Amino acid sequence: MAASKKAVLGPLVGAVDQGTSSTRFLVFNSKTAELLSHHQVEIKQEFPREGWVEQDPKEILHSVYECIEKTCEKLGQLNIDISNIKAIGVSNQRETTVVWDKLTGEPLYNAVVWLDLRTQSTVESLSKRIPGNNNFVKSKTGLPLSTYFSAVKLRWLLDNVREVQKAVEEKRALFGTIDSWLIWSLTGGVNGGVHCTDVTNASRTMLFNIHSLEWDKQLCEFFGIPMEILPNVRSSSEIYGLMKISHSLKAGALEGVPISGCLGDQSAALVGQMCFQNGQAKNTYGTGCFLLCNTGHKCVFSDHGLLTTVAYKLGRDKPVYYALEGSVAIAGAVIRWLRDNLGIIKTSEEIEKLAKEVGTSYGCYFVPAFSGLYAPYWEPSARGIICGLTQFTNKCHIAFAALEAVCFQTREILDAMNRDCGIPLSHLQVDGGMTSNKILMQLQADILYIPVVKPSMPETTALGAAMAAGAAEGVGVWSLEPEDLSAVTMERFEPQINAEESEIRYSTWKKAVMKSMGWVTTQSPESGIP
């Protein structure tokens, strides 16, 4: 038996990929970037009232333990020795906000998810305090004042949750995005857990100065956030601490392994897609849709509704890279909505079958503005609409229109990016769960009218986190030198319709978007306080 042990694999790297709808743990070979094994668990989302989206931080943490355990079991069945795992990277849904008690390790409230809209009135009252001629928030953070980012969620928790206020007064409270909550818990929690984040996640809080790469005193004062509850900001690739999870026997096998990579999921995908050059871009199709374009060492500020954000900083002494980002709130979430709310599909995979049956939306357009519109509009008053319905419209047309909506939203962002950067993309690199849908990928090529290029291994978010972890100083098992990066096989989707038809469909979509705006006034029930 011993002879069949595959000890020749060399160093392995694990990656925790904690997304909005699921958690995964994946293990890669650091020499070939091959995915050896993984496990995935779906995460519950709670909607306590209209516009509110929450998750249980403990459920998220337990899902991470479960994924690590199950993946280690699967590696064991493959005769792969898990003692070869030399480092672990973390990638996470961004902006989602957790406040916990550092003495008990208990969350003080549910995690308030990035999609959540309860802070609309907070945003409105704060925006009145920004001088018209000097938007210091945007110039320091690269972000528009919006319900999307962590600072306003944290402000809401401080204003409305007594447990949070009390813990802050008694100096027991710690704030973090999901990466911080996981790293603190995985490095020992109440027994010496490390309270940190990386520059990419920090740049999504609205409290971080993306030029100086530090928490900003003026921003913290503006939002009324006590600086002592914030995590330490580190680079995206360095040893933060060692795994300490002895309470769980099987996962305890990774005891002492360094956690040495941390990237917000969209930055991780940019790294995993090897977009290391100025002007390279990728689009990730997850719960939302996120197009990031590497702008190199300089911050490019958008005139067309895009965000300026930190792309990555791969080492303490390495330079920082920036990106322009277009964020779409609802992509895969529209498929989940068709499954869970309307029941017209039983599994997410079925949408491809339905769409294929008709091959057209037959003039039906779907704007899934469930959480308002993000880039390039930043219009919180928008709500979802399905329009252009006739007696002939059926669920297949609605399914097709839902897929088209993802593609149209991406086209709007690509247009904005081309205008900001001045160099139109020649092709689009894509990744994320939805890219397994061939109809969606072909539609995307048709609507953008450029080729869509998809890596054969779509788990680029986890790959990026693993690369950062494996390349960290003191680990050094993954080379990021261009000549060492393994060539990835790609699948290409070429546009198949004529440009004129593409334009007509796109301009009709824009008409539908205009109709989705202005639905909600401030007096709506969703700003209610518990």
Side-chain angles (χ1 to χ4, degrees):
M1 187 65 203
S4 74
K5 271 259 187 257
K6 300 187 194 155
V8 286
L9 275 173
L12 312 180
V13 179
V16 173
D17 178 6
Q18 206 297 299
T20 316
S21 50
S22 70
T23 298
R24 304 181 185 66
F25 183 70
L26 307 91
V27 174
F28 296 91
N29 179 333
S30 68
K31 294 289 173 254
T32 62
E34 178 196 359
L35 174 60
L36 299 176
S37 185
H38 73 288
H39 188 75
Q40 176 169 358
V41 172
E42 196 167 301
I43 298 284
K44 277 206 290 293
Q45 294 181 26
E46 297 169 34
F47 306 99
R49 52 179 78 187
E50 196 202 334
W52 292 31
V53 191
E54 296 180 1
Q55 289 176 333
D56 176 355
K58 291 179 80 170
E59 184 197 341
I60 289 176
L61 181 59
H62 290 144
S63 72
V64 170
Y65 290 141
E66 185 184 338
C67 288
I68 290 176
E69 277 188 20
K70 292 281 197 291
T71 305
C72 287
E73 279 172 24
K74 290 176 184 177
L75 289 170
Q77 289 157 10
L78 295 167
N79 290 332
I80 295 171
D81 187 350
I82 56 176
S83 69
N84 283 335
I85 297 175
K86 300 302 180 204
I88 289 171
V90 174
S91 109
N92 56 288
Q93 53 170 312
R94 302 172 305 169
E95 300 94 18
T96 297
T97 299
V98 190
V99 181
W100 67 95
D101 185 321
K102 66 178 170 194
L103 303 180
T104 64
E106 290 295 311
L108 296 163
Y109 192 81
N110 269 345
V112 180
V113 178
W114 57 277
L115 281 167
D116 186 282
L117 286 177
R118 76 187 65 186
T119 53
Q120 192 48 47
S121 53
T122 312
V123 168
E124 282 162 20
S125 63
L126 284 166
S127 57
K128 292 192 181 93
R129 292 175 34 213
I130 297 181
N133 57 352
N134 169 23
N135 188 343
F136 65 93
V137 176
K138 180 123 197 256
S139 60
K140 284 176 182 236
T141 64
L143 311 173
L145 191 53
S146 157
T147 57
Y148 179 20
F149 307 107
S150 316
V152 288
K153 301 179 193 301
L154 185 48
R155 183 65 261 154
W156 187 91
L157 290 169
L158 290 166
D159 288 338
N160 295 288
V161 181
R162 184 67 196 120
E163 285 80 4
V164 172
Q165 295 161 354
K166 205 161 163 304
V168 169
E169 285 157 19
E170 295 170 11
K171 306 256 184 274
R172 292 182 284 115
L174 296 178
F175 152 78
T177 40
I178 296 294
D179 55 307
S180 302
W181 164 241
L182 293 180
I183 291 172
W184 184 82
S185 303
L186 293 172
T187 54
V190 292
N191 303 311
V194 178
H195 187 218
C196 68
T197 187
D198 88 302
V199 287
T200 67
N201 281 297
S203 78
R204 312 297 293 188
T205 58
M206 275 198 135
L207 301 169
F208 185 72
N209 186 316
I210 60 174
H211 312 285
S212 67
L213 302 184
E214 298 173 322
W215 297 123
D216 189 286
K217 202 160 173 296
Q218 186 190 8
L219 290 169
C220 290
E221 281 165 8
F222 176 72
F223 289 103
I225 307 294
M227 289 181 87
E228 64 271 11
I229 71 173
L230 303 178
N232 286 320
V233 183
R234 315 272 287 269
S235 77
S236 313
S237 173
E238 61 179 86
I239 295 176
Y240 311 111
L242 306 181
M243 290 281 276
K244 248 196 240 172
I245 43 175
S246 38
H247 79 275
S248 140
L249 211 63
K250 294 181 196 132
L254 298 183
E255 191 83 18
V257 175
I259 298 179
S260 52
C262 178
L263 290 153
D265 51 11
Q266 304 313 322
S267 286
L270 194 73
V271 170
Q273 285 268 30
M274 326 279 177
C275 294
F276 294 127
Q277 308 288 288
N278 194 339
Q280 287 184 306
K282 66 89 207 163
N283 197 26
T284 300
Y285 298 76
T287 299
C289 222
F290 301 90
L291 207 152
L292 269 70
C293 179
N294 188 331
T295 62
H297 301 306
K298 61 174 194 290
C299 289
V300 175
F301 282 89
S302 171
D303 299 321
H304 302 100
L306 303 180
L307 311 177
T308 307
T309 201
V310 175
Y312 52 81
K313 183 182 191 304
L314 294 173
R316 208 174 306 184
D317 307 318
K318 295 285 198 299
V320 64
Y321 280 75
Y322 294 97
L324 268 179
E325 171 173 335
S327 330
V328 168
I330 304 289
V334 74
I335 315 300
R336 197 167 171 162
W337 183 83
L338 291 173
R339 182 191 75 184
D340 298 349
N341 294 32
L342 290 198
I344 65 175
I345 48 174
K346 286 198 175 56
T347 67
S348 301
E349 290 69 43
E350 274 177 56
I351 188 139
E352 193 170 359
K353 281 218 293 285
L354 286 186
K356 200 172 185 172
E357 269 178 52
V358 284
T360 166
S361 71
Y362 206 78
C364 165
Y365 286 81
F366 189 159
V367 182
F370 302 154
S371 305
L373 286 166
Y374 284 13
Y377 300 102
W378 298 104
E379 186 44 76
S381 71
R383 284 298 173 273
I385 60 166
I386 303 177
C387 54
L389 303 175
T390 66
Q391 282 178 311
F392 181 71
T393 311
N394 63 29
K395 67 181 181 181
C396 299
H397 299 119
I398 289 173
F400 195 95
L403 294 181
E404 268 193 323
V406 175
C407 300
F408 285 132
Q409 292 181 101
T410 298
R411 163 84 192 259
E412 294 202 280
I413 285 172
L414 205 69
D415 284 358
M417 212 159 262
N418 288 340
R419 289 200 292 271
D420 280 327
C421 294
I423 312 157
L425 287 183
S426 57
H427 64 273
L428 182 65
Q429 287 175 234
V430 301
D431 57 73
M434 292 182 83
T435 58
S436 59
N437 184 325
K438 290 213 172 358
I439 291 211
L440 177 72
M441 294 294 94
Q442 186 54 54
L443 264 176
Q444 188 66 86
D446 289 346
I447 287 167
L448 294 178
Y449 217 66
I450 56 174
V452 165
V453 179
K454 173 192 157 189
S456 53
M457 201 281 300
E459 300 288 356
T460 45
T461 300
L463 177 61
M467 287 165 67
E473 195 182 330
V475 178
V477 298
W478 205 304
S479 166
L480 299 183
E481 295 305 318
E483 63 274 14
D484 297 329
L485 292 171
S486 31
V488 187
T489 50
M490 298 285 190
E491 186 178 357
R492 273 175 84 90
F493 295 85
E494 301 282 346
Q496 288 177 356
I497 62 174
N498 65 43
E500 193 185 356
E501 190 190 336
S502 180
E503 287 311 311
I504 291 169
R505 275 157 61 178
Y506 183 47
S507 59
T508 313
W509 154 264
K510 290 195 121 150
K511 216 159 72 181
V513 171
M514 289 304 145
K515 295 199 187 314
S516 76
M517 292 188 190
W519 279 99
V520 181
T521 53
T522 323
Q523 284 73 43
S524 71
E526 66 192 39
S527 59
I529 300 297

